[in-house]
Amino acid sequence: LNELKAKSKKMCDVPGDDATLKTHVLETGARALQNFDPISKIHLHLCGFHFYNGDMNRQVEAHHFCSHLNEDLRQCVIYDSDKPNAKLIGIEYVISEKLYKTLDQEEQKLWHSHRYEVKGGSLTMPGLPELVERQAMADLVNTYGKTFHTWQVDRHVLPLGVPQLMMAFTADGQTHQELLEARDKREGTTSEKLKHARAHLHEEPVHPNADAWSHGQVYQTKLEKLDTNTVPNVDKMD
């Protein structure tokens, strides 16, 4: 009981009342009785950095918790930290180079490469031994990701606005140094050390349609109000 009372204290710096003891009791019961198979399939934690497509100065740390659908497709939920009070801020789909090449050209422009994130040492797998992490990075280096953030935590205390297309970095000097230093201090490593350890990883050339922002093609989402004449009349639907 005391443990549940302690949990009822506010854990997150967002507007709203503290979770009540009743809420925590209900959560405990649901956890014991319900099926959480999709979540239990999550097996990998990646820590990296994203920027809002079109504004590289807006950079955020992104903790990905990923599961495999198969060898060519992973799906990740993204939080702003790996703490119990972390905010759910987005999603990312990660596909193999083989699948990426099957996409049409316009779709390809929405995706970013992972080559620099891996080889440049900005992507980590917290808690994994270096040898294990290196092998996992070998599986990621030639993949591509499509990412949308649903909560602009750098601006809003609530998940406001339209989901934003995010991109990843492609060269040294792009990521804010304070973000890298905070991550390195927390994980007890350095980007330079990781870069050296991953130098041998085999890399394929990045597809020319990926990282479209780096070629001057920037895409971002916006909300569009539809003409009511285009919306089906629900009263007339069977």
Side-chain angles (χ1 to χ4, degrees):
L1 183 60
N2 289 335
E3 182 180 354
L4 289 175
K5 287 181 178 179
K7 286 182 178 180
S8 70
K9 295 181 179 179
K10 181 171 287 189
M11 297 180 64
C12 202
D13 56 344
V14 298
D17 294 335
D18 294 351
T20 65
L21 180 59
K22 175 184 176 182
T23 295
H24 286 296
V25 170
L26 289 173
E27 288 176 348
T28 301
R31 191 177 301 116
L33 298 171
Q34 290 189 301
N35 184 323
F36 294 91
D37 280 352
I39 296 173
S40 67
K41 293 294 184 181
I42 291 175
H43 65 280
L44 186 65
H45 173 201
L46 297 164
C47 177
F49 305 97
H50 294 154
F51 68 90
Y52 293 83
N53 202 23
D55 189 352
M56 189 179 283
N57 285 322
R58 293 183 63 195
Q59 304 182 9
V60 292
E61 185 171 315
H63 290 262
H64 309 58
F65 294 87
C66 308
S67 61
H68 274 89
L69 286 181
N70 55 47
E71 283 300 308
D72 293 291
L73 175 58
R74 303 175 188 184
Q75 52 187 8
C76 309
V77 288
I78 302 175
Y79 292 83
D80 67 339
S81 78
D82 60 354
K83 305 304 180 187
N85 64 344
K87 302 178 183 74
L88 175 63
I89 62 172
I91 57 170
E92 177 165 352
Y93 299 101
V94 178
I95 60 175
S96 65
E97 181 181 37
K98 178 178 71 176
L99 284 187
Y100 181 80
K101 289 180 177 179
T102 69
L103 305 177
D104 67 59
Q105 292 188 6
E106 290 305 306
E107 174 65 25
Q108 288 176 337
K109 295 174 183 178
L110 304 178
W111 296 70
H112 60 266
S113 66
H114 290 135
R115 187 178 71 177
Y116 173 76
E117 285 192 280
V118 172
K119 300 280 291 209
S122 66
L123 190 65
T124 63
M125 297 180 179
L128 283 187
E130 184 176 319
L131 289 177
V132 177
E133 183 190 62
R134 200 178 306 166
Q135 180 55 54
M137 287 296 173
D139 295 335
L140 279 172
V141 66
N142 295 309
T143 61
Y144 294 84
K146 181 166 72 170
T147 306
F148 287 95
H149 280 200
T150 55
W151 191 336
Q152 300 179 50
V153 287
D154 61 323
R155 286 187 174 175
H156 305 305
V157 296
L158 288 172
L160 306 179
V162 179
Q164 297 289 289
L165 181 64
M166 309 298 284
M167 286 290 153
F169 302 101
T170 58
D172 290 344
Q174 294 176 347
T175 312
H176 290 161
Q177 192 61 30
E178 61 268 24
L179 288 177
L180 285 172
E181 289 176 355
R183 189 281 311 274
D184 290 351
K185 181 178 180 180
R186 187 177 64 246
E187 296 187 18
T189 189
T190 67
S191 299
E192 288 303 314
K193 176 184 177 182
L194 295 173
K195 186 186 298 186
H196 177 75
R198 299 170 185 174
H200 72 287
L201 296 181
H202 174 71
E203 59 185 90
E204 295 291 336
V206 172
H207 194 284
N209 287 334
D211 308 314
W213 65 270
S214 64
H215 309 300
Q217 300 181 56
V218 176
Y219 299 87
Q220 194 48 271
T221 55
K222 67 177 182 178
L223 196 62
E224 179 181 355
K225 185 177 181 180
L226 297 179
D227 188 325
T228 55
N229 292 328
T230 67
V231 179
N233 188 332
V234 293
D235 292 333
K236 296 180 179 181
M237 295 177 66
D238 293 335

